[in-house]
Amino acid sequence: MPTETRPTHEFARHVGEAMADARWGDVLDVVASDVVTHIPAVGDLHGVDALAGFLLETAAKTDDGERFELIDALAGDTHAALYFRITATREGRAPLDNLTVHVARLDGNRIVEIWFHNFDGPAVAAFWA
């Protein structure tokens, strides 16, 4: 995914589509090295390596990875929100069917801060526990 400046909405949609296609290298290429990620029940992660480690760790806990379906992308001048349905299965757990919004603060075409917001936090926590 090129990192040249592009309109925020187009940038957000490209990031969301890369996530839906599991092109994590493309996603991480536009994340600032010192990104701060706020994750419910996990806390704050500092740096792109911590975010990448979290993504690998969660995928490893599932039967065959997480599937991201991009529902919509919303964007302003400095923030973007990606609305997803994330599904996964894990032995001994009810299937994950998580509607979530990932809000990102942008500095140009770099993601510098991320907040995960799950619509059903208790169900998500039970899946990952």
Side-chain angles (χ1 to χ4, degrees), residues 56-67:
L56 288 170
E57 180 183 327
T58 56
K61 289 181 178 180
T62 68
D63 294 337
D64 60 354
E66 296 172 274
R67 287 161 300 289

Side-chain angles (χ1 to χ4, degrees), residues 21-99:
D21 294 340
R23 290 183 284 118
W24 295 107
D26 289 348
V27 174
L28 294 174
D29 281 347
V30 297
V31 174
S33 62
D34 60 349
V35 67
V36 177
T37 307
H38 310 280
I39 304 172
V42 172
D44 295 345
L45 303 178
H46 296 271
V48 70
D49 291 340
L51 174 59
F54 172 79
L55 295 172
L56 288 170
E57 180 183 327
T58 56
K61 289 181 178 180
T62 68
D63 294 337
D64 60 354
E66 296 172 274
R67 287 161 300 289
F68 286 69
E69 174 192 350
L70 179 63
I71 297 169
D72 206 350
L74 308 168
D77 293 331
T78 60
H79 289 79
L82 299 174
Y83 180 31
F84 289 105
R85 167 170 268 124
I86 301 174
T87 57
T89 58
R90 186 174 180 201
E91 188 173 333
R93 307 282 198 296
L96 179 68
D97 188 359
N98 180 25
L99 291 174

